[in-house]
Amino acid sequence: MPQRHDLAAEVTYLDPEKARFHVDAFEDLNLELAGERTWSRVRVKRAFPLTRDDCFIVVQDRDGKEIGSLARLDALDPDSRQAVEAELERAYFTPRIERIAKVTTAYRVPRWEVETDRGPRAFEIYSSRRDVRVLDGGRVLVQDADGNRYEIPDYRRLDPASRTLVEEML
């Protein structure tokens, strides 16, 4: 008989009504749980960064010990949510590809030249098969040879030339 896990016993959920996040003068994220305790320089991580980026946010103290998890970001008050989202944006910096200028290959190494929401970028990937991942809804994640990630929210909405280049890689 398969063993059943009690997820509620294994995960400590933070009450969004009591959790208040703020960024201090040193630009560190801090957590205050009303009536309980305050932690400075907390870290936040997505439990499911590819598929559920707004749910299941793990909060750790400065030493990496888990304080608890947030089930949903939208349950936080607006100021706390903005502070957590800004920290996640820094931790998961992922420029969005808006246009692909060209993809060339030399010695079997694809080189992408793209326009992103953060400006032009050029990068190489090891392998189209390994480093270009298609997710639900036409979303595409590209990881370059240095480990940086880029996102195409829906490759089907790119201009025709860019869409063709992506489809050739898939």
Side-chain angles (χ1 to χ4, degrees):
M1 176 176 261
Q3 185 178 359
R4 298 188 71 165
H5 293 283
D6 182 5
L7 189 59
E10 295 179 30
V11 177
T12 302
Y13 284 103
L14 300 175
D15 183 348
E17 296 290 322
K18 293 182 178 181
R20 297 292 177 260
F21 291 88
H22 70 278
V23 177
D24 63 21
F26 299 103
E27 297 188 16
D28 292 322
L29 184 65
N30 300 289
L31 166 63
E32 179 182 339
L33 286 179
E36 294 180 30
R37 185 168 173 199
T38 299
W39 289 266
S40 60
R41 294 177 30 208
V42 297
R43 299 181 208 164
V44 289
K45 297 182 177 182
R46 292 178 169 122
F48 303 102
L50 300 181
T51 57
R52 300 294 305 260
D53 63 354
D54 62 343
C55 298
F56 307 112
I57 306 301
V58 178
V59 182
Q60 299 175 327
D61 67 14
R62 70 176 85 183
D63 297 320
K65 183 179 178 212
E66 186 172 317
I67 297 167
S69 296
L70 296 165
R72 299 179 54 87
L73 280 179
D74 63 5
L76 291 172
D77 68 273
D79 291 337
S80 292
R81 181 177 179 172
Q82 183 178 17
V84 171
E85 286 176 339
E87 186 65 24
L88 288 168
E89 177 67 24
R90 278 193 289 280
Y92 293 91
F93 177 72
T94 307
R96 287 175 192 79
I97 295 174
E98 298 172 339
R99 187 178 77 79
I100 302 170
K102 65 180 175 177
V103 176
T104 57
T105 303
Y107 306 106
R108 291 199 242 178
V109 176
R111 177 180 166 77
W112 290 48
E113 293 181 33
V114 300
E115 291 290 329
T116 74
D117 62 339
R118 309 292 172 106
R121 299 278 195 271
F123 57 86
E124 295 176 345
I125 64 174
Y126 288 120
S127 161
S128 296
R129 189 179 324 179
R130 186 181 76 189
D131 297 325
V132 180
R133 296 179 64 187
V134 180
L135 304 173
D136 290 340
R139 184 174 174 212
V140 176
L141 291 179
V142 181
Q143 182 169 316
D144 72 14
D146 294 323
N148 301 308
R149 287 189 182 166
Y150 299 85
E151 176 188 17
I152 303 171
D154 185 346
Y155 79 91
R156 300 167 299 194
R157 292 180 172 221
L158 292 173
D159 63 273
S162 296
R163 187 174 53 247
T164 299
L165 288 170
V166 171
E167 289 171 344
E168 288 174 1
M169 292 287 173
L170 305 179

